[in-house]
Amino acid sequence: MDDEKKWNLNAPQNDTENNRQNEPPRYEHYCMHQNTESDTVKELPEKKKNKKRGRKKLAETISLAVVFGLVAGAVFQGVNFASEKYLGSDGKDSQIETAQLAGDSSADGSDSNESEGAASNETVASETAAAVSQTGSVAEVADTAMPTVVAITSVSVQEIPNYFRAFGFGYGTQQYSSEGSGSGIIVGENDDELLIATNNHVVSGATTLSVCFVGNDVVNAEEETVDMSGSDGDVNVEDAVSAKIKGTDESNDLAVVAVQKSDIPEDTLSQIKIAQLGNSDDLQVGEQVVAIGNALGYGQSVTSGWISALNRNISTDDGTSSGLIQTDAAINPGNSGGALLNMQGEVIGINSAKYADSAVEGMGYAIPISKAQPILEELMNRQTRDKVESENAAYLGVVTADLSTEAIQMYDMPEGAFVIRVEKNSAAGKAGIQKGDIIVSFDGQTVSGKDDLESKLAYYASGETVDVVVSRADNGEYVQKTISVTLGSKN
């Protein structure tokens, strides 16, 4: 192959590429009051009196039971009617369904006939086994998974050198707004948020993010997002919902973004579903797969192919990725962060890259879901943060640099942000961070390099206290040390 071929991440589409182109029933006690015929009761012989009393008590008991049953039933039905009318059976507090291929057993594996005995249990077990092994057509898989895949639009501010300064016009750099298109997979929810997995490179550097769900006008939503994007990072457009970055892992090219449920229209909330995650460890070369994503920013599109290889390692401009799934299902720009599914409709990979060369065809790559899942779960549990205004932004007080691959391999150094200088009286200096330390984690988040550290700092305010993990050389070996740092201010 020639020297011009290279690895291209399916990064969001830039401006040029996107010019054409989202009380329970309450029961009360009811008392029955008996009325006597007169103040004087005729005395009866003892046996007859007791017998009559017994009959009278029995009649009273039966009457009381009947009345109680009628009243309680009426109250119960009345409360049910009122709750359905005024609360609705599908309010925003209800859990969103998990996407499953038609014929699959319930997500929790429960069965209403468990008490029918061993014979019934055996029948349920055999039916469940059959459902698990069931495979669908590409159309059935697509129909099942479509409600779980979203389109993501990002807007970022890029800086470029001012080339006219050579002629005496201006100086420094120029800023311009750049938008991109990517994909995401609905992987969870909490009380207030819908959580979406995607690639880090889809959201990296974004000042504004919007999510467009199934059935909406993706192209129009992208245009509106760009037009309405502001410094606060919020958008309010017809076909899209504003999103926030919840957590990122640059070294594994993974991220989770959050959308407020209260921002999602009721009709959309009733259509979307949470993806069912599979097990990528059990994959075999030759299995059929389906890819769904926001190709070229036009909205969801479906491609199908096969697993070509497993555990592939590739090098990109953002670093080296290992253990990837290779597939010949078409992976195009905008597909990044989208779903790679097996024929049971389960997500087995997150599409992230392709091999770009005029002589190469059908070499796309996805992050295995078994590798991504624990990372995504950690990111999903993080606090959702907004970028902090510059005057309140946190300042660590270190000058850092990226470590070369050669240095990492030669000196057995960990990946992170290498500290080349610590400013006097800075937050880092006061806490005990030293020159030569390698910052490998910030507030529980892995740090892959200089830019990654700076990107994370943008979401913290001065005065906050966080744990910073550094690797420090000790007798020729790097030892990790956790340092509590109270972040300062640059001003």
Side-chain angles (χ1 to χ4, degrees):
M1 299 182 182
D2 57 355
D3 293 333
E4 295 181 355
K5 59 191 175 187
K6 58 183 180 180
W7 293 101
N8 284 347
L9 278 172
N10 288 296
Q13 297 291 286
N14 56 33
D15 289 314
T16 303
E17 293 172 321
N18 283 324
N19 283 336
R20 45 72 213 111
Q21 339 205 299
N22 115 244
E23 185 165 315
R26 182 177 179 180
Y27 299 97
E28 295 182 0
H29 292 289
Y30 289 84
C31 298
M32 303 297 293
H33 298 278
Q34 298 290 323
N35 294 319
T36 58
E37 295 180 358
S38 65
D39 292 336
T40 303
V41 178
K42 186 177 180 180
E43 192 74 12
L44 297 174
E46 189 65 24
K47 290 184 179 180
K48 292 184 179 180
K49 179 179 178 182
N50 290 339
K51 188 174 182 180
K52 183 169 287 189
R53 283 180 179 176
R55 291 174 180 173
K56 185 175 182 180
K57 287 183 179 181
L58 178 61
E60 291 174 354
T61 301
I62 295 173
S63 300
L64 180 62
V66 172
V67 173
F68 179 81
L70 290 173
V71 173
V75 172
F76 182 78
Q77 293 298 330
V79 172
N80 279 346
F81 174 79
S83 65
E84 290 178 2
K85 181 175 181 181
Y86 298 107
L87 299 180
S89 58
D90 295 316
K92 289 190 176 182
D93 291 334
S94 63
Q95 289 187 341
I96 298 172
E97 292 181 3
T98 299
Q100 290 183 307
L101 203 64
D104 277 3
S105 57
S106 62
D108 60 2
S110 63
D111 189 274
S112 60
N113 298 320
E114 288 181 357
S115 61
E116 292 185 3
S120 176
N121 288 337
E122 290 177 2
T123 301
V124 172
S126 62
E127 290 177 351
T128 301
V132 169
S133 63
Q134 177 181 350
T135 60
S137 65
V138 173
E140 289 171 327
V141 172
D143 184 62
T144 299
M146 280 282 196
T148 72
V149 181
V150 304
I152 298 176
T153 298
S154 64
V155 180
S156 58
V157 176
Q158 307 291 335
E159 287 190 358
I160 60 173
N162 186 348
Y163 295 105
F164 292 102
R165 62 182 173 178
F167 303 97
F169 300 101
Y171 60 91
T173 60
Q174 291 179 312
Q175 291 185 340
Y176 72 97
S177 179
S178 174
E179 71 269 14
S181 300
S183 307
I185 310 167
I186 303 173
V187 292
E189 64 175 332
N190 55 35
D191 291 341
D192 304 313
E193 301 170 322
L194 195 65
L195 306 174
I196 299 166
T198 187
N199 288 139
N200 176 71
H201 70 262
V202 171
V203 301
S204 179
T207 56
T208 302
L209 282 175
S210 72
V211 168
C212 188
F213 297 96
V214 62
N216 287 334
D217 187 343
V218 175
V219 175
N220 185 58
E222 181 179 300
E223 294 174 352
E224 290 185 87
T225 297
V226 175
D227 291 341
M228 296 186 181
S229 62
S231 60
D232 60 357
D234 290 322
V235 293
N236 183 20
V237 301
E238 182 179 358
D239 296 309
V241 180
S242 183
K244 303 292 184 183
I245 297 176
K246 196 168 185 70
T248 62
D249 188 323
E250 185 178 20
S251 61
N252 289 291
D253 196 25
L254 292 170
V256 171
V257 298
V259 171
Q260 289 293 319
K261 290 182 182 177
S262 58
D263 291 340
I264 305 174
E266 285 284 358
D267 56 342
T268 299
L269 199 61
S270 66
Q271 296 179 53
I272 60 179
K273 294 182 180 180
I274 296 173
Q276 186 172 7
L277 305 185
N279 184 359
S280 58
D281 291 338
D282 294 337
L283 293 176
Q284 294 182 347
V285 173
E287 286 188 41
Q288 188 175 9
V289 289
V290 175
I292 302 179
N294 180 28
L296 299 181
Y298 282 112
Q300 293 169 330
S301 66
V302 178
T303 58
S304 181
W306 313 89
I307 293 178
S308 305
L310 299 170
N311 299 315
R312 291 299 202 199
N313 301 332
I314 63 173
S315 295
T316 69
D317 293 337
D318 295 326
T320 300
S321 297
S322 61
L324 302 182
I325 301 170
Q326 180 184 327
T327 179
D328 66 345
I331 306 296
N332 295 295
N335 271 112
S336 284
L340 186 68
L341 306 121
N342 60 21
M343 301 312 291
Q344 287 81 43
E346 301 168 331
V347 177
I348 47 90
I350 299 176
N351 300 320
S352 61
K354 70 177 295 184
Y355 198 102
D357 185 88
S358 59
V360 177
E361 183 178 343
M363 294 184 71
Y365 296 86
I367 302 168
I369 198 63
S370 296
K371 174 184 177 181
Q373 190 170 0
I375 299 171
L376 294 175
E377 287 175 352
E378 191 277 325
L379 297 178
M380 289 164 65
N381 289 319
R382 298 194 60 80
Q383 175 187 347
T384 304
R385 290 177 171 268
D386 293 323
K387 281 194 173 182
V388 180
E389 296 294 336
S390 58
E391 60 268 23
N392 298 319
Y395 188 65
L396 191 56
V398 294
V399 178
T400 61
D402 292 327
L403 292 167
S404 66
T405 303
E406 293 78 9
I408 292 174
Q409 294 175 347
M410 184 178 297
Y411 300 105
D412 195 23
M413 304 170 77
E415 188 179 55
F418 185 76
V419 179
I420 58 177
R421 188 173 78 246
V422 180
E423 296 180 7
K424 187 178 181 180
N425 296 324
S426 66
K430 292 177 181 178
I433 296 178
Q434 303 174 2
K435 176 182 177 180
D437 286 347
I438 302 173
I439 299 176
V440 298
S441 175
F442 181 87
D443 193 26
Q445 304 171 82
T446 300
V447 174
S448 61
K450 173 186 175 182
D451 292 341
D452 188 31
L453 177 61
E454 292 177 354
S455 176
K456 287 176 169 58
L457 273 167
Y459 291 87
Y460 290 78
S462 58
E464 289 191 65
T465 300
V466 298
D467 285 339
V468 176
V469 179
V470 302
S471 280
R472 180 174 296 170
D474 184 9
N475 295 323
E477 294 183 357
Y478 278 89
V479 180
Q480 286 195 352
K481 180 179 178 63
T482 301
I483 301 174
S484 180
V485 182
T486 299
L487 299 171
S489 173
K490 192 172 184 179
N491 301 323

